Amino acid sequence: MRKLIYIFIAVCLMSIQGCDDGDIITVELDFEDEFSACEGVSDLVFYKTKDDPSESLSVLISNYTLDEILATGTDGTFSVEKSATFYYRTYSDESLPSTLFCNDIPEEVTISSSESDDCTAEIITVLTKDDEDGILAILEDINGNGDLTDDDTDGDGLADYIDWDDDGDNILTEDENPDPNGDGDLEDAQDTDGDGIPDYLDADDDGDGVLTRDEENDSQDQRPNNDITNSDVGADYLNPAVATTVSATAYREHTIYETYVVTVTLQDISLSFLSQDSFDFGVLSDSSLTSSESITPDFE
């Protein structure tokens, strides 16, 4: 939570309250860490509001769009500094409507006071991708060099951290018990054949000489887990007594989840009650920042 308290010798804040020279006034800006965004005809607005008392902080950037700050480069990052106008407002209303910004101000809303200041908005965007396979991305650095993009266990063109079937056996990683107790320690990952390679990285889970993806004896649907010869043992790919080969012809479709994290820092703010070189405005909260894409790797 952004909680800032400023005490200053009275410079009357418009109509917030009357005061005499020499009075000491405490202004408390108590806002959540997250902020919202909306676009006008040609402007981008970042804002946050609160009730009791009703206040808002907003940042106006002219001739700019949300799409522009989401245009990350090949490294998944974007940063820019833009001239902006910072607003602090108080309202007579006990609570504020959700449509307060980027719309005509509703008639029932009365602004008690308003202050604005020209400043610089530093915007940083980081795009993160993940397969949500039950393993933290940082733990999918198999070669330990700190670079997640060059770890591709099955060689299908998708790095393990965005590949929800790391070993390419058409059994999803999350279904191969990579972290049975969910403690983030993969030392207890399921290893059916005891060969020291956990199932989620083992192309032949039961060690019978037949690749897991080729053990589709009932139906070739890229799902070996529903091919069961002996129900007492389970799926054929985990049963070393069944070693029938039915060659796979395709990988399963993969889903990659993308999340943009946008932070804004304001530089050189100077209001009547606030002078600060740097102010952390927070993290953008917007449903458009999370999306997913589906990819089916080429089968070789």
Side-chain angles (χ1 to χ4, degrees), residues 9-38:
I9 301 298
V11 176
C12 293
L13 231 181
M14 301 180 77
S15 60
I16 291 180
Q17 65 182 76
C19 58
D20 297 322
D21 291 345
D23 289 348
I24 295 179
I25 301 173
T26 299
V27 175
E28 180 175 310
L29 302 183
D30 188 1
F31 289 83
E32 296 296 328
D33 294 341
E34 296 183 341
F35 63 88
S36 300
C38 63

Side-chain angles (χ1 to χ4, degrees), residues 135-267:
I135 302 175
L136 294 176
I138 194 173
L139 299 179
E140 302 207 60
D141 180 15
I142 306 300
N143 57 29
N145 66 354
D147 182 3
L148 295 175
T149 63
D150 64 358
D151 296 279
D152 182 5
T153 298
D154 56 12
D156 65 354
L158 295 177
D160 288 357
Y161 80 102
I162 55 173
D163 188 340
W164 65 357
D165 177 13
D166 293 319
D167 54 8
D169 62 0
N170 281 333
I171 302 295
L172 300 186
T173 292
E174 66 179 357
D175 293 333
E176 299 197 78
N177 291 320
D179 186 11
N181 59 9
D183 64 354
D185 183 354
L186 306 183
E187 291 296 322
D188 58 352
Q190 177 177 299
D191 180 8
T192 299
D193 57 11
D195 63 355
I197 303 173
D199 286 1
Y200 78 95
L201 297 177
D202 193 341
D204 178 11
D205 294 316
D206 57 8
D208 62 0
V210 179
L211 295 179
T212 292
R213 71 188 188 191
D214 293 337
E215 298 205 51
E216 290 203 276
N217 301 307
D218 289 336
S219 59
Q220 287 186 279
D221 58 359
Q222 290 80 54
R223 287 168 172 74
N225 51 347
N226 62 16
D227 294 86
I228 304 171
T229 299
N230 186 340
S231 58
D232 291 334
V233 177
D236 294 345
Y237 80 95
L238 296 177
N239 184 356
V242 178
T244 304
T245 300
V246 180
S247 298
T249 59
Y251 286 124
R252 292 179 64 170
E253 183 179 71
H254 290 50
T255 299
I256 301 173
Y257 301 91
E258 301 178 340
T259 301
Y260 292 90
V261 177
V262 179
T263 58
V264 173
T265 303
L266 304 180
Q267 308 290 349

Side-chain angles (χ1 to χ4, degrees), residues 128-132 162 164 255-259 291-293:
T128 60
K129 295 184 178 183
D130 197 6
D131 49 19
E132 297 190 5
I162 55 173
W164 65 357
T255 299
I256 301 173
Y257 301 91
E258 301 178 340
T259 301
S291 61
S292 64
E293 62 175 320

Side-chain angles (χ1 to χ4, degrees), residues 1-8 13 16 25-33 48-58 86-91 113 115 266 269-276 278-281:
M1 178 172 288
R2 305 280 177 244
K3 187 170 184 179
L4 305 176
I5 301 176
Y6 300 94
I7 300 177
F8 60 97
L13 231 181
I16 291 180
I25 301 173
T26 299
V27 175
E28 180 175 310
L29 302 183
D30 188 1
F31 289 83
E32 296 296 328
D33 294 341
K48 55 177 71 179
T49 65
K50 63 181 289 290
D51 299 326
D52 192 27
S54 296
E55 299 173 313
S56 70
L57 300 178
S58 59
F86 175 58
Y87 295 91
Y88 165 70
R89 291 183 174 128
T90 64
Y91 305 83
S113 66
E115 288 218 7
L266 304 180
I269 296 173
S270 182
L271 302 179
S272 66
F273 67 98
L274 168 61
S275 180
Q276 192 163 336
S278 181
F279 172 52
D280 183 359
F281 196 71

